[in-house]
Amino acid sequence: WQDRWPASLEFSRRARRAYCKELHLFPCRPASWFDVASSLSQTVYLNCRVTMGPNSEDQGIEVDVKQIRRFLRSSLSQESSNSERWHSFAKACHRQEQKQHCLVRALQLDPRNAEAWATLGEFYLDEGDLVLAGKSFEQTRSLNPAIASAWEGLALMKEEQRRRGVVGDFQTNQELQEEEILGCLLHAVRLGPTLRAAVMLSHYVLARIECDGIEEQAKGSSGALNLSSCLSLKAERSLHEAYLGLMKACEAHPYNLGSAILLGCVCEARTLYLDAIRAYRRVRAVLATTEHAAGQQGRVELAQICLGNLARCLCRVGQHNEAVTVFAEMDSLKMLDKDALGLQCYAAALSSVGSKQAAAEVAYRAIAVAEVQCGSRTESCETLRDREARNVWGSVLSGRAAILSQASSE
């Protein structure tokens, strides 16, 4: 993507220059104003990703957005009966009441404008009106079922309904609700590169696989949890769809590092460790070369997750020397000071490359961290009811037991 995006930016700039010449020759033609606005919008979008990275808060962008609105307003003033013009201007509006007015006007002129219905549904969803959002998305789906944003919006709406508890008996409808949400998400990722749908689908599938694996382990199986052994045929298909959706989303949004890390997690669940390593290395390279918009704290958290997952995958494929290098980098940045499991993996990697003395020292550090965690959380965990938190706590205890066993054997 590093090579394709600059080329796309150059072609977009050429198109904008050509449309500007057309506008100079035909200033009274509404389509000329609209073409300049569209090409300028595309140029701004590509420029953010090629030259500025994910940090899109820039004074120049504000100026370009104002110019886009001015061009669209000129096109709309010359052709006020065109539904597409009203829809395009609505997407460029920053005031909610103005956006709603433009969308309603677009649908008054053309009630079968499926894209406008989808945008109106997104507007109502952002406003928190789930009833009107649902009606808008259903109308979009009836007019054009191939619009990915409608399926994504339906999934987000149903998830918000489930969170609010406005769908009746939550306990009896929970499984049905999840199936409906998953169905909408699967449709969305199949139709287009929808970032939110791909991320949401991946979270759903990974959570379901983890729950199934924990239940399987609780029935009597022993040893570490292996997600790949818990996959049913349906879960494997959903995981494959999530993988394809994240691939599309990462291609369309190369600086969204959260989706790239999630892609690595999905690859790990499918035992595609080399693909996972490539995803984590990509995140690492972006963090090293750009200033991330999440700020310094968010940057450190992303780096910690990325490096930890990268080192673990390197151990999985037997590249222990590189894993030790990554763990050493994390240790120098003090990312392992409170991570007992990370220190455990670091000790195992050191042991695999023959550094027994260093492995023992790291193992004892892991034991000390695990002791502190056990002493500070035992009382609170006795009353814990959240399954995910219990699972995390169980992994800490099992990791501590493994460290003690390994240290005692040495």
Side-chain angles (χ1 to χ4, degrees), residues 145 147-148 151-152 181-192 194 201:
I147 296 179
W151 295 96
E152 179 186 65
I181 294 172
L182 283 173
C184 293
L185 292 173
L186 286 171
H187 273 87
V189 298
R190 288 168 184 166
L191 291 171
T194 55
L201 175 62

Side-chain angles (χ1 to χ4, degrees), residues 247-318:
M247 288 288 288
K248 295 178 185 177
C250 289
E251 183 68 24
H253 306 273
Y255 285 101
N256 190 295
L257 303 186
S259 62
I261 291 176
L262 191 56
L263 175 61
C265 295
V266 170
C267 291
E268 285 190 70
R270 301 186 68 209
T271 65
L272 302 175
Y273 297 116
L274 293 178
D275 291 341
I277 289 173
R278 279 193 288 270
Y280 296 138
R281 282 174 174 166
R282 173 177 172 176
V283 176
R284 187 183 184 187
V286 173
L287 284 174
T289 56
T290 63
E291 181 181 355
H292 197 262
Q296 184 62 27
Q297 182 63 29
R299 184 187 181 91
V300 170
E301 292 176 358
L302 285 173
Q304 183 171 0
I305 296 172
C306 172
L307 293 176
N309 292 353
L310 174 60
R312 184 180 62 251
C313 287
L314 290 170
C315 291
R316 289 271 193 174
V317 299

Side-chain angles (χ1 to χ4, degrees), residues 208-249:
R208 175 171 291 189
I209 291 172
E210 185 176 3
C211 290
D212 293 343
I214 292 171
E215 291 174 1
E216 187 72 20
Q217 193 176 18
K219 290 180 181 178
S221 60
S222 58
L225 176 62
N226 184 6
L227 292 180
S228 61
S229 64
C230 308
L231 293 181
S232 63
L233 180 60
K234 184 176 181 181
E236 174 61 32
R237 289 175 178 173
S238 299
L239 196 61
H240 178 67
E241 295 286 352
Y243 169 76
L244 295 179
L246 280 173
M247 288 288 288
K248 295 178 185 177

Side-chain angles (χ1 to χ4, degrees), residues 25-315:
L25 295 173
F26 305 100
C28 296
R29 184 179 175 185
S32 300
W33 293 92
F34 182 78
D35 291 338
V36 172
S38 300
S39 61
L40 179 57
S41 176
Q42 182 71 6
T43 302
V44 171
Y45 173 79
L46 293 170
N47 188 57
C48 290
R49 281 144 182 80
V50 174
T51 62
M52 298 171 56
N55 188 10
S56 60
E57 299 294 330
D58 187 79
Q59 188 70 21
I61 292 183
E62 293 294 331
V63 176
D64 290 335
V65 171
K66 291 180 180 179
Q67 289 181 351
I68 292 171
R69 294 197 194 103
R70 183 170 62 84
F71 289 135
L72 288 174
R73 189 178 291 110
S74 299
S75 174
L76 187 60
S77 64
Q78 297 181 24
E79 195 176 9
S80 59
S81 60
N82 190 309
S83 176
E84 288 297 333
R85 301 288 187 267
W86 284 98
H87 179 219
S88 300
F89 188 66
K91 291 193 291 185
C93 292
H94 65 283
R95 294 190 324 198
Q96 294 296 85
E97 61 274 9
Q98 191 178 27
K99 177 181 290 188
Q100 184 181 19
H101 168 74
C102 293
L103 288 172
V104 171
R105 181 58 181 159
L107 292 171
Q108 286 176 345
L109 294 171
D110 184 10
R112 299 188 62 81
N113 189 335
E115 294 285 351
W117 279 110
T119 307
L120 184 63
E122 294 173 358
F123 168 82
Y124 285 130
L125 189 62
D126 292 338
E127 292 293 304
D129 194 332
L130 301 183
V131 176
L132 292 179
K135 291 180 180 179
S136 300
F137 289 132
E138 290 291 350
Q139 185 69 15
T140 305
R141 194 168 60 170
S142 65
L143 292 172
N144 186 359
I147 296 179
S149 59
W151 295 96
E152 179 186 65
L154 281 172
L156 293 171
M157 183 204 67
K158 292 178 183 294
E159 172 62 23
E160 183 64 19
Q161 283 181 335
R162 193 178 72 157
R163 189 186 66 82
R164 294 184 185 182
V166 296
V167 289
D169 188 357
F170 176 79
Q171 188 66 28
T172 58
N173 291 335
Q174 182 178 8
E175 185 174 351
L176 179 61
Q177 292 289 318
E178 288 185 357
E179 291 299 328
E180 291 179 352
I181 294 172
L182 283 173
C184 293
L185 292 173
L186 286 171
H187 273 87
V189 298
R190 288 168 184 166
L191 291 171
T194 55
L195 178 61
R196 288 189 300 179
V199 170
M200 192 174 174
L201 175 62
S202 303
H203 280 300
Y204 259 91
V205 175
L206 289 175
R208 175 171 291 189
I209 291 172
E210 185 176 3
C211 290
D212 293 343
I214 292 171
E215 291 174 1
E216 187 72 20
Q217 193 176 18
K219 290 180 181 178
S221 60
S222 58
L225 176 62
N226 184 6
L227 292 180
S228 61
S229 64
C230 308
L231 293 181
S232 63
L233 180 60
K234 184 176 181 181
E236 174 61 32
R237 289 175 178 173
S238 299
L239 196 61
H240 178 67
E241 295 286 352
Y243 169 76
L244 295 179
L246 280 173
M247 288 288 288
K248 295 178 185 177
C250 289
E251 183 68 24
H253 306 273
Y255 285 101
N256 190 295
L257 303 186
S259 62
I261 291 176
L262 191 56
L263 175 61
C265 295
V266 170
C267 291
E268 285 190 70
R270 301 186 68 209
T271 65
L272 302 175
Y273 297 116
L274 293 178
D275 291 341
I277 289 173
R278 279 193 288 270
Y280 296 138
R281 282 174 174 166
R282 173 177 172 176
V283 176
R284 187 183 184 187
V286 173
L287 284 174
T289 56
T290 63
E291 181 181 355
H292 197 262
Q296 184 62 27
Q297 182 63 29
R299 184 187 181 91
V300 170
E301 292 176 358
L302 285 173
Q304 183 171 0
I305 296 172
C306 172
L307 293 176
N309 292 353
L310 174 60
R312 184 180 62 251
C313 287
L314 290 170
C315 291

